[in-house]
Amino acid sequence: MTTAVPQSFDYDPPMEPFLPVIHSDADLLVIDKPSGLLSVPGKAPEHGDCVESRSRGVHANSRIVHRLDMDTSGVMVLAMNPAAQRHLGLQFERRKTRKTYIADVWGRLDADTGEVDLPLICDWPNRPKQMVCFDNGKAALTRWEVIGRTEETTRVRLFPHTGRSHQLRVHMLALGHPILGDRFYAEGDALAASGRLSLHAESLELHHPSGGERVTFRSRCPF
């Protein structure tokens, strides 16, 4: 998942919480990333504050393994040494990790479960936005289940099989149910319904680099 932002973006990352730690050991640093914080530095000098810089300020050996969109909150894992970084990187590359997200979307989904299987590509003139493209897009698959409904919105748990940039945001939009507060893809009432992107990385399951034990890290949804 990319963390690219437009050069002109007004970046004001939250200082509290600064970098909440869920778990740390000799191989792993697992954090609860706040919404509004970049995973890695942006291109502009004023976009330097990020998970990477904050983590290295406290844990000098920490290394980025994967990314969450700036507006997404939740579980993010970093490696604490080169061997762990390689081990974790291969798990993400080979889809050996399992991730779940919570999202509030606009409108009521009638079905209780479903999936979106639509290829995605960068919408280059409007980057970092992405779009569905059957000719040149990369395969992207998201499974979902409804966990709550109101008169105007639906809460879903999302299970991404792939990890394309903005995948969950574009796939929910393609269903006709944009994620609340999504400044890239939501409009009108859906955009105004939340002061932040209502997307949270709830859990991450992976093999621990030391010994291979399957471990799961979780974060409570903040919205």
Side-chain angles (χ1 to χ4, degrees):
M1 303 255 181
T2 185
T3 55
V5 295
Q7 287 285 335
S8 60
F9 181 70
D10 184 15
Y11 184 44
D12 185 22
M15 300 307 294
E16 292 292 338
F18 187 74
L19 195 73
V21 174
I22 297 173
H23 170 87
S24 65
D25 59 38
D27 295 297
L28 303 178
L29 175 65
V30 186
I31 66 157
D32 192 356
K33 189 187 88 66
S35 175
L37 180 65
L38 288 165
S39 293
V40 297
K43 293 182 180 180
E46 61 268 27
H47 298 161
D49 186 13
C50 60
V51 169
E52 184 177 50
S53 63
R54 290 186 183 188
S55 66
R56 286 188 174 177
V58 181
H59 303 276
N61 295 326
S62 61
R63 301 158 183 261
I64 289 289
V65 176
H66 68 124
R67 307 177 189 184
L68 292 178
D69 288 342
M70 182 186 75
D71 295 334
T72 303
S73 58
V75 180
M76 183 174 170
V77 64
L78 294 87
M80 295 293 279
N81 55 68
Q85 185 181 35
R86 289 191 296 272
H87 192 285
L88 293 168
L90 284 173
Q91 289 188 60
F92 280 98
E93 179 182 335
R94 296 172 180 175
R95 298 174 185 164
K96 299 298 184 181
T97 63
R98 292 182 182 176
K99 296 172 280 186
T100 68
Y101 290 74
I102 298 293
D104 287 336
V105 303
W106 187 252
R108 288 177 61 88
L109 280 160
D110 294 328
D112 291 331
T113 62
E115 67 177 40
V116 184
D117 186 0
L118 294 172
L120 302 176
I121 194 171
C122 180
D123 183 1
W124 193 249
N126 300 303
R127 60 190 184 278
K129 292 181 69 174
Q130 308 292 307
M131 63 182 185
V132 175
C133 178
F134 291 97
D135 292 330
N136 300 305
K138 294 182 179 180
L141 174 63
T142 302
R143 296 185 174 91
W144 55 268
E145 67 177 16
V146 171
I147 55 177
R149 293 181 175 93
T150 70
E151 289 186 2
E152 295 184 327
T153 67
T154 305
R155 175 159 290 198
V156 292
R157 180 169 282 115
L158 304 174
F159 308 90
H161 178 69
T162 51
R164 307 301 179 199
S165 178
H166 290 193
Q167 174 177 318
L168 303 179
R169 301 162 78 164
V170 178
H171 276 178
M172 291 300 99
L173 177 68
L175 283 180
H177 299 277
I179 297 175
L180 304 187
D182 191 336
R183 61 191 177 88
F184 285 131
Y185 303 103
E187 298 178 349
D189 291 340
L191 178 60
S194 175
R196 56 155 287 180
L197 175 70
S198 295
L199 179 63
H200 179 73
E202 176 190 39
S203 71
L204 174 61
E205 181 182 338
L206 49 81
H207 293 282
H208 196 285
S210 295
E213 179 186 359
R214 198 72 174 167
V215 291
T216 303
F217 303 101
R218 300 182 184 277
S219 166
R220 183 181 298 273
C221 183
F223 53 82

